[in-house]
């Protein structure tokens, strides 16, 4: 899961303009349809599947889609701060991301898989 977070981080920092187009309202009058939103969220399935395997192993709660959203939100936040220059150089933002991810995963483990 941490490796997936690193891949997201590295991709975001390698292509910050694409990241902004994907997640910010670069074209204010554009409003995606519900179908377009579902299509764009299909890429999240890689993370949901990985979280599902962690859930099967008892490492995270048994709601893969919910846990994946929480991990994505945290990763996305660190990446957004990194792109805006507010999280230090890339190696520093990557260290922040690792701490956030490992803290979340430790918290899930401390609460037990049924939490």
């Amino acid at each position: 899961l941490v490796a997936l977070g690193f891949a997201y981080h590295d991709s975001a920092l390698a292509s910050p303009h694409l990241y902004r187009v994907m997640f910010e309202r670069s074209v204010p009058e554009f409003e995606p349809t519900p179908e377009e939103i579902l299509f764009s969220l299909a890429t999240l399935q890689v993370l949901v599947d990985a979280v599902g395997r962690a859930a099967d192993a008892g490492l995270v709660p048994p709601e893969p889609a919910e846990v994946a959203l929480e991990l994505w939100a945290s990763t996305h936040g660190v990446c957004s701060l990194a792109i805006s220059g507010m999280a230090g150089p890339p190696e520093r933002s990557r260290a922040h991301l690792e701490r956030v991810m490992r803290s979340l995963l430790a918290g899930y483990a401390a609460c037990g898989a049924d939490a």
Side-chain angles (χ1 to χ4, degrees):
L1 295 174
V2 173
L4 285 174
F6 284 162
Y8 188 95
H9 174 272
D10 296 348
S11 176
L13 271 64
S15 300
H17 299 298
L18 176 60
Y19 185 88
R20 287 184 180 115
V21 167
M22 289 172 57
F23 296 111
E24 297 175 3
R25 294 283 183 186
S26 300
V27 181
E29 61 273 2
F30 174 73
E31 195 64 43
T33 66
E35 294 80 19
E36 291 167 332
I37 292 170
L38 282 175
F39 180 78
S40 69
L41 288 174
T43 58
L44 184 60
Q45 193 60 47
V46 172
L47 180 58
V48 173
D49 292 345
V51 170
R53 291 188 296 276
D56 290 345
L59 302 172
V60 299
E63 299 94 11
E66 298 298 316
V67 172
L69 181 65
E70 293 161 3
L71 293 172
W72 178 33
S74 300
T75 301
H76 183 78
V78 171
C79 291
S80 294
L81 290 171
I83 287 172
S84 69
M86 301 178 89
E91 62 275 2
R92 189 72 196 124
S93 63
R94 207 171 201 264
H96 287 303
L97 175 60
E98 182 171 12
R99 184 175 306 144
V100 166
M101 293 286 286
R102 293 198 185 280
S103 295
L104 283 169
L105 295 169
Y108 291 135
C111 292
D114 58 350

